[in-house]
Amino acid sequence: MRQYLDLCRRIVDHGVWIGNKRTGKRCLTVINADLSYDVANNQFPLITTRKSYWKAAIAEFLGYIRGYDNAADFRKLGTKTWDANANDNHVWLNSPHRKGNDDMGRVYGVQGRSWRKPDGSHLDQLRKVVDNLSNGIDDRGEIITFYNPGEIELGCLRPCMHTHTFSLLGDTLHLTSYQRSCDVPLGLNFNQIQVYIFLALMAQITGHKAGQAYHKIVNAHIYEDQLELMQTVQLLREPLPLPRLEINPQIKTLQDLETWVTMDDFKVVGYQSHPPIQYPFSV
């Protein structure tokens, strides 16, 4: 929790104003941030200086694991996070590649589960990594990337958290996740939860101990219409103890994650927080 607040303070004190063409807003910006999460000791990185809605973050990542490309499928899991980008992004609405209402295109999980190869076939990156790790293999390339430069225009949004590298040291699994761009007041807690849950789930289904999750952010920013709330509310609050995350131990395979798992299979224990903060969201 403290590392999150330290990053917020760093942006406020040392950030540079940069215009953002997509949103038409300015962002107070710093380059390079490194965070880490202790998955081994179940220190769930849930923001406590405002109420955080963790279920939507896990539901979204479960949709990535399943390779979903439609906002309606994410809503069925319990999150509306893709509604705006699929249906309110004017560039995507005018794209010849958009297939209709709620279509997201070839983003995130589609690339992770169905990366198109030059010969027209598809590569399931996630399955390759799961199979290798389940067999105790780490070829220094246990990498899943959602960022396909050749298909950016085929989706409604470039991936922000784009690449995940798993590292197996003995019987302990670690994760390094890379993020090109981060809306710190709103998006970062979602991303923190997702880095944590990805390592926790992959360790569980491949039969390993979870270790540390490392989260590397390139461009960390606060939008101009978020800055006052950050300075006058969130940064003045004292953090509370971190909660724990309980995952249904019956989740044992990738197929389980693809089929029957729901938000009922996750539980946060001991979560205390300050009241919510209604930060503006930029589409």
Side-chain angles (χ1 to χ4, degrees), residues 160 179-185 187-188 191 215 217 219-222:
C160 295
Q179 186 164 355
R180 66 170 181 86
S181 174
C182 184
D183 174 345
V184 171
L188 180 51
N191 303 134
H215 187 180
I217 302 169
N219 184 303
H221 51 266
I222 299 173

Side-chain angles (χ1 to χ4, degrees), residues 191-205:
N191 303 134
Q192 290 177 300
I193 293 167
Q194 291 172 342
V195 172
Y196 184 102
I197 195 68
F198 201 16
L199 176 55
L201 286 173
M202 287 289 278
Q204 183 163 314
I205 68 173

Side-chain angles (χ1 to χ4, degrees), residues 8-27:
C8 293
R9 175 55 64 187
R10 177 185 162 203
I11 296 171
V12 169
D13 292 344
H14 303 290
V16 175
W17 284 109
I18 302 295
N20 181 259
K21 182 178 180 181
R22 180 176 65 87
T23 63
K25 299 177 183 179
R26 295 187 307 157
C27 300

Side-chain angles (χ1 to χ4, degrees), residues 21-216:
K21 182 178 180 181
R22 180 176 65 87
T23 63
K25 299 177 183 179
R26 295 187 307 157
C27 300
L28 199 56
T29 305
V30 299
I31 300 300
N32 191 49
D34 289 281
L35 300 92
S36 62
Y37 316 121
D38 190 355
V39 186
N41 292 304
N42 203 350
Q43 295 185 2
F44 191 47
L46 200 55
I47 295 301
T48 61
T49 49
R50 66 171 175 83
K51 186 173 178 60
S52 179
Y53 301 94
W54 59 272
K55 285 188 176 181
I58 294 179
E60 182 180 62
F61 209 81
L62 184 57
Y64 296 165
I65 288 173
R66 293 178 177 178
Y68 287 166
D69 67 355
N70 192 284
D73 289 325
F74 283 88
R75 288 197 298 273
K76 291 175 185 176
L77 282 175
T79 179
K80 298 180 179 180
T81 51
W82 280 95
D83 287 6
N85 283 309
N87 299 308
D88 297 334
N89 181 333
H90 69 92
V91 174
W92 180 239
L93 290 177
N94 292 303
S95 170
H97 304 293
R98 186 173 183 264
K99 293 180 289 187
N101 193 51
D102 284 327
D103 178 47
M104 297 157 47
R106 291 187 57 80
V107 296
Y108 284 91
V110 177
Q111 300 292 351
R113 301 305 309 268
S114 185
W115 180 284
R116 282 202 286 234
K117 298 167 69 173
D119 63 3
S121 63
H122 291 78
L123 171 66
D124 187 339
Q125 299 180 70
L126 179 59
R127 169 58 69 183
K128 176 263 184 186
V129 173
V130 168
D131 288 348
N132 276 4
L133 295 177
S134 297
N135 288 297
I137 298 170
D138 178 356
D139 65 5
R140 301 181 186 175
E142 304 303 340
I143 299 170
I144 299 162
T145 184
F146 301 145
Y147 201 94
N148 186 340
E151 295 192 346
I152 295 297
E153 74 280 3
L154 301 184
C156 63
L157 183 71
R158 289 180 296 167
C160 295
M161 191 162 63
H162 57 83
T163 300
H164 305 272
T165 301
F166 288 93
S167 301
L168 189 58
L169 298 181
D171 63 352
T172 302
L173 186 65
H174 303 275
L175 170 63
T176 305
S177 295
Y178 305 87
Q179 186 164 355
R180 66 170 181 86
S181 174
C182 184
D183 174 345
V184 171
L186 273 181
L188 180 51
N189 196 213
F190 254 59
N191 303 134
Q192 290 177 300
I193 293 167
Q194 291 172 342
V195 172
Y196 184 102
I197 195 68
F198 201 16
L199 176 55
L201 286 173
M202 287 289 278
Q204 183 163 314
I205 68 173
T206 61
H208 298 291
K209 297 177 183 177
Q212 299 294 307
Y214 303 99
H215 187 180
K216 304 182 74 66

